[in-house]
Amino acid sequence: MNQPRSTVPLCALMVAAAFTICHADDVTPPTEPELRAVITKGLGYLAKGSDEWMAEKNCNSCHHLPQVLWNHREARMRGFTIDEKKFDEWLQWSDENKTDIKAGREMTAFMKLAMPDKPQPQLTKIILEGQKPDGSWMPSGQFLGQKRVKAESAANSTRIFLLALAAGDPDPKVRDEAVARAAPFLAKDGASTSVETLAYRALFARRLGKPEELAAISGEIAKLQHADGGWGWQIKEPASDSVATGLALYALQPASDPATTAAISRAQRWLMANQKEDGGWPVDYSKISSTDRSKPEKAKSLKDATMIYSYWGTAWSTLGLLQGVPVKQGAPAE
């Protein structure tokens, strides 16, 4: 019997075959020693940046003290040697500033996520007081000034606060009641405009949602991955950045299906290839922030924004890479 001939041009088949081969090479998972080397440099960048932040600022922020604690706690769990004296210093400093929310209430949520094994009833109280009658939390700080509609930012903040309430809270009833109040608001969610939104949706589904929701969101994140292995903060942004890539990598793990594990390996490789010698990943804040800092009188603000987003990108990137290193049996959580 004659077989039907392919209608695909030979040159197209050759290109597809070449792409498949290259794509397979790209997804070779990095070794644990490779990951540890990159993570160690990232931790060093975060440690230095947090010390500078403490010397110059008087707030924890959502992007500095919580992140340095979160990263170092997870690194310790995976057998990294951390400076325990310095960790205690960061923790003490953050405790002294943890109830000051002038820079944004999200800081309290990230502090709880950073230290889930540490009882923090004051932060739980602050979080609960911020829930609005419609069940949402108002975005503030950097979350308020990002390039997306306010409703999407509010949904992101709401999920962050609910995840924080689920982080080591002694009374699950508190969390469940807050989740129930927020459900009608979150049910109105529109289409995501940023990968960050998808990442928070995935984290929420993993902790407080259903497996099928997590699978669908993870699949959507994986499909949005750029050819170079990274993601752009805005879904339509063609250039990859470390904030989006680190967030996506963190949200996708753990995973077992081939498509997601391949996306994880590509993201790890992108981060490894784009880390700078100082251990950080630079970020173009203008791709994320809607605040115009181009005018001469905004020079200091421009410097601050660049520092903030590069630190944030490095924190999420390091945290995402840490998920690829096994937790050591018996390692302390705090």
Side-chain angles (χ1 to χ4, degrees):
M1 180 184 291
N2 292 330
Q3 298 293 325
R5 295 182 62 185
S6 170
T7 58
V8 181
L10 178 60
C11 60
L13 290 172
M14 292 173 64
V15 170
F19 176 78
T20 300
I21 293 171
C22 293
H23 208 55
D25 289 341
D26 286 345
V27 300
T28 303
T31 64
E32 185 175 331
E34 287 178 317
L35 286 174
R36 285 182 173 273
V38 177
I39 290 166
T40 298
K41 289 177 65 177
L43 292 171
Y45 180 98
L46 295 175
K48 182 175 183 292
S50 66
D51 287 346
E52 292 172 352
W53 183 266
M54 289 190 300
E56 298 175 7
K57 309 290 182 180
N58 60 352
C59 73
N60 285 325
S61 80
C62 52
H63 41 72
H64 267 74
L65 266 298
Q67 293 287 2
V68 75
L69 289 167
W70 193 348
N71 271 270
H72 280 76
R73 180 182 62 81
E74 294 229 12
R76 181 204 281 150
M77 291 168 58
R78 289 161 172 79
F80 286 81
T81 300
I82 69 169
D83 186 333
E84 297 291 348
K85 182 178 179 182
K86 179 60 67 176
F87 187 89
D88 290 341
E89 180 184 330
W90 295 327
L91 189 56
Q92 180 180 346
W93 194 91
S94 67
D95 281 343
E96 293 170 355
N97 291 275
K98 69 183 180 183
T99 59
D100 186 353
I101 60 171
K102 64 178 180 296
R105 196 180 295 263
E106 281 87 358
M107 174 274 292
T108 61
F110 280 103
M111 282 302 303
K112 282 182 65 66
L113 292 168
M115 301 296 294
D117 300 312
K118 177 181 169 60
Q120 303 186 75
Q122 288 175 294
L123 299 189
T124 299
K125 183 175 183 291
I126 291 172
I127 290 171
L128 291 172
E129 289 173 348
Q131 190 171 25
K132 296 168 61 180
D134 67 356
S136 71
W137 275 265
M138 178 71 71
S140 56
Q142 296 299 326
F143 290 91
L144 188 59
Q146 292 173 343
K147 289 184 175 179
R148 59 180 160 221
V149 297
K150 189 174 180 180
E152 185 177 349
S153 294
N156 286 354
S157 290
T158 298
R159 287 192 174 89
I160 291 167
F161 286 115
L162 293 174
L163 285 167
L165 290 176
D169 239 324
D171 185 1
K173 182 181 178 182
V174 171
R175 173 203 66 202
D176 293 343
E177 289 177 350
V179 171
R181 286 194 296 272
F185 175 81
L186 293 177
K188 301 175 184 176
D189 262 358
S192 302
T193 64
S194 73
V195 169
E196 181 182 67
T197 297
L198 290 173
Y200 288 141
R201 286 182 177 182
L203 293 174
F204 184 84
R206 187 185 298 279
R207 182 68 177 83
L208 297 168
K210 300 176 181 178
E212 57 268 27
E213 294 172 338
L214 174 61
I217 299 167
S218 296
E220 188 175 355
I221 293 172
K223 287 178 183 177
L224 289 170
Q225 189 174 35
H226 296 162
D228 64 6
W231 284 266
W233 187 85
Q234 290 184 296
I235 286 175
K236 294 181 179 180
E237 170 57 46
S240 298
D241 68 73
S242 61
V243 177
T245 303
L247 264 165
L249 181 58
Y250 182 78
L252 289 175
Q253 298 175 90
S256 56
D257 66 284
T260 306
T261 54
I264 289 168
S265 294
R266 287 194 292 272
Q268 290 169 330
R269 290 291 182 188
W270 185 87
L271 288 171
M272 291 168 65
N274 286 277
Q275 187 181 37
K276 300 304 179 184
E277 192 57 40
D278 64 1
W281 284 268
V283 174
D284 180 357
Y285 82 88
S286 66
K287 305 290 187 183
I288 303 174
S289 174
S290 60
T291 303
D292 179 11
R293 295 179 170 91
S294 60
K295 298 177 181 178
E297 63 269 23
K298 294 282 189 177
K300 184 178 185 303
S301 178
L302 173 61
K303 180 181 177 182
D304 286 347
T306 299
M307 177 268 293
I308 285 170
Y309 280 100
S310 293
Y311 192 93
W312 219 346
T314 301
W316 278 117
S317 296
T318 307
L319 199 57
L321 290 169
L322 274 163
Q323 307 315 302
V325 178
V327 173
K328 300 298 182 183
Q329 200 68 25
E334 66 167 326

